[in-house]
Amino acid sequence: MAKTPKCIGILTSGGDCPGLNAAIRGVAKAALHHGIRVVGIQDGFRGLVENRTVALDARTVSGILTLGGTLLGTSRDKPHKMDMGGKIMDMTDVALANAQKLQIDCLVALGGNGTQKNSLRLAKQGLPVVTLPKTIDNDVWGTDISFGFDTALGIATEAIDRLHTTATSHHRIIVCEIMGHSAGWLALGSGIAGGADAILIPEIPYRIEAVAEHLEQRRRTGRRFSIIAVAEGALSEEEAAARRESAEEEDSDDPPMPALAKVKKKKKKGGEEESLWTSTEEGRPLVHEPMASRIAREVQQLTGVEARVTSLGHVQRGGGPSAADRLLCTRLGTAATEMILDGGSDCMMAVKGTEIVPVPLKETAGKTKTVPADHEWIRTAQLVETCMGR
Ligand code: F6P
């Protein structure tokens, strides 16, 4: 971008999360402060292809700091593979032409891993892009933290706190399913913060017998309830081995979780459009049992103790952002605008320690930040007697 920017486009893409509006506000207020026009693009990359926009002025971006969701709407659509009335089409050229028509000098895309990939594709075709890392999963590569994570961490932790009191009263096991896609950050963080007795994450395939033995040990020592925090993408040792054998690449905004990957494969091979809930010829459901139900069923069988299930689901993505997320979103948003003003683009504004720094999109795109095996949080959990599934 050689010339001084006159117009910034903003879109939000992928699953929503608390803090999107705060980040939109940060980008837009800083831009307006410098006399730069701001165009809001509706429903992610689809809005760019369909040319659906709203002008973001001082009035529109006022009073949105604390609001959940995204005022622009979002979608998981990608320009190069977009469903256009039932037909999957490459709409990249249309997206680029519309950006030109709108006189957008730089696009700011707020999103997760899929958004980094889609943004890099557009950047390679000549549209300057700056991205911000958004996801409750905290799995965007190249940043210490993504916005939305802190809020979801608080929600999941509060849920575990509440499950403690009722589990204690009834001397039960309660299994709490936590989002995170194929990364365990949210389950691990909230499990530690909420004092879960077992935490199961995708990065550490579990052995159900080890989990049951830990719960029995607690009972033998007078603790008659237990809480298991399980990541939605957790998998057993057997599943991990099977997955290694049939590893498949999927080019989606969020690639399928291990348990679902096989189901999608079956659907493709079968040709016909099958409901995810239909049974196979052997009578088994195509969709795997939800993770928490499976864990509850298995530990109840092994321990003989009543086990119940709570799945937090989209509650973790709803509502307004925490104070930490509001601060982060405002810092990231304003930093993106300053980057554009300085002529920079094709990067993600990332958190590194106490700083906000640009990371080239070609470095972040296509990578996922999962929990490293030697991460300090894992050791921390183990030192406070939490079973990590082994
Ligand atoms: O990426 C955020 C996330 O909430 C994941 O934790 C979860 O697997 C997925 O999105 C759910 O997606 P959807 O809202 O499309 O069901």
Side-chain angles (χ1 to χ4, degrees):
M1 241 190 323
K3 56 184 175 94
T4 310
K6 292 200 176 67
C7 175
I8 290 177
I10 308 183
L11 60 79
T12 55
S13 179
D16 74 339
C17 78
L20 282 164
N21 286 324
I24 292 169
R25 172 181 175 271
V27 174
K29 284 211 168 195
L32 296 169
H33 175 82
H34 286 286
I36 302 171
R37 192 162 58 84
V38 188
V39 174
I41 296 154
Q42 294 177 321
D43 301 336
F45 291 103
R46 180 167 289 277
L48 189 56
V49 166
E50 295 175 354
N51 206 3
R52 287 189 285 111
T53 61
V54 282
L56 295 181
D57 55 22
R59 207 165 54 84
T60 343
V61 297
S62 174
I64 64 169
L65 174 65
T66 61
L67 289 185
T70 161
L71 66 87
L72 294 175
T74 186
S75 73
R76 293 190 186 278
D77 294 310
K78 27 189 179 281
H80 68 290
K81 265 190 205 170
M82 195 166 283
D83 187 334
M84 302 301 291
K87 204 169 161 212
I88 306 297
M89 293 174 68
D90 184 348
M91 301 302 286
T92 307
D93 287 348
V94 179
L96 295 169
N98 283 339
Q100 208 162 22
K101 264 190 239 156
L102 292 163
Q103 297 179 315
I104 289 173
D105 295 306
C106 187
L107 176 69
V108 180
L110 282 51
N113 285 319
T115 304
Q116 311 307 320
K117 284 201 272 183
N118 294 326
S119 298
L120 178 62
R121 281 199 181 94
L122 292 181
K124 280 183 175 163
Q125 299 296 317
L127 175 64
V129 189
V130 172
T131 65
L132 300 185
K134 162 247 61 161
T135 172
I136 64 164
D137 304 340
N138 200 33
D139 63 351
V140 174
W141 195 92
T143 183
D144 292 353
I145 188 161
S146 299
F147 71 81
F149 176 67
D150 180 76
T151 309
L153 185 67
I155 295 168
T157 302
E158 190 196 335
I160 295 174
D161 289 347
R162 288 177 184 276
L163 293 174
H164 260 101
T165 61
T166 172
T168 311
S169 308
H170 289 269
H171 319 299
R172 281 174 174 155
I173 295 166
I174 298 191
V175 185
C176 180
E177 182 167 314
I178 293 160
M179 277 188 170
H181 206 256
S182 49
W185 295 107
L186 196 52
L188 180 57
S190 59
I192 295 172
D197 306 298
I199 303 174
L200 309 181
I201 60 173
E203 295 85 347
I204 306 180
Y206 67 84
R207 225 168 33 81
I208 200 67
E209 294 78 14
V211 179
E213 171 49 31
H214 182 77
L215 305 190
E216 281 181 333
Q217 167 67 17
R218 279 177 51 78
R219 241 178 148 74
R220 283 197 292 274
T221 51
R223 290 159 297 174
R224 297 173 64 202
F225 75 93
S226 289
I227 304 288
I228 304 177
V230 58
E232 61 178 349
L235 69 173
S236 66
E237 284 185 344
E238 299 76 47
E239 285 167 324
R243 187 192 175 199
R244 277 193 294 275
E245 273 171 31
S246 68
E248 65 169 10
E249 273 283 307
E250 178 110 349
D251 184 22
S252 78
D253 194 53
D254 293 300
M257 283 180 291
L260 291 176
K262 285 203 158 163
V263 176
K264 292 206 170 172
K265 217 174 187 177
K266 271 185 190 151
K267 277 185 72 187
K268 276 184 204 155
K269 277 187 185 160
E272 285 170 33
E273 192 57 30
E274 276 176 315
S275 156
L276 281 176
W277 302 104
T278 34
S279 295
T280 61
E281 294 104 69
E282 305 94 61
R284 287 198 308 272
L286 276 175
V287 165
H288 292 232
E289 195 179 0
M291 189 47 64
S293 312
R294 182 214 295 189
I295 300 293
R297 182 174 49 73
E298 292 179 349
V299 292
Q300 181 167 311
Q301 263 162 18
L302 289 169
T303 62
V305 178
E306 184 182 27
R308 292 291 168 98
V309 170
T310 294
S311 186
L312 300 183
H314 291 81
V315 166
Q316 295 159 105
R317 279 184 10 202
S322 65
D325 269 332
R326 291 178 205 178
L327 174 60
L328 179 58
C329 290
T330 307
R331 290 173 68 210
L332 285 169
T334 52
T337 297
E338 291 204 308
M339 173 56 54
I340 296 166
L341 268 170
D342 287 348
S345 71
D346 306 350
C347 59
M348 176 182 80
M349 303 313 295
V351 180
K352 289 275 157 103
T354 57
E355 308 284 312
I356 305 284
V357 296
V359 180
L361 279 180
K362 57 181 186 311
E363 278 180 30
T364 62
K367 296 183 192 145
T368 302
K369 185 186 73 178
T370 51
V371 182
D374 60 353
H375 196 271
E376 180 235 314
W377 288 10
I378 295 173
R379 178 97 186 112
T380 301
Q382 286 163 335
L383 286 173
V384 292
E385 277 186 283
T386 309
C387 170
M388 291 298 305
R390 284 183 178 168

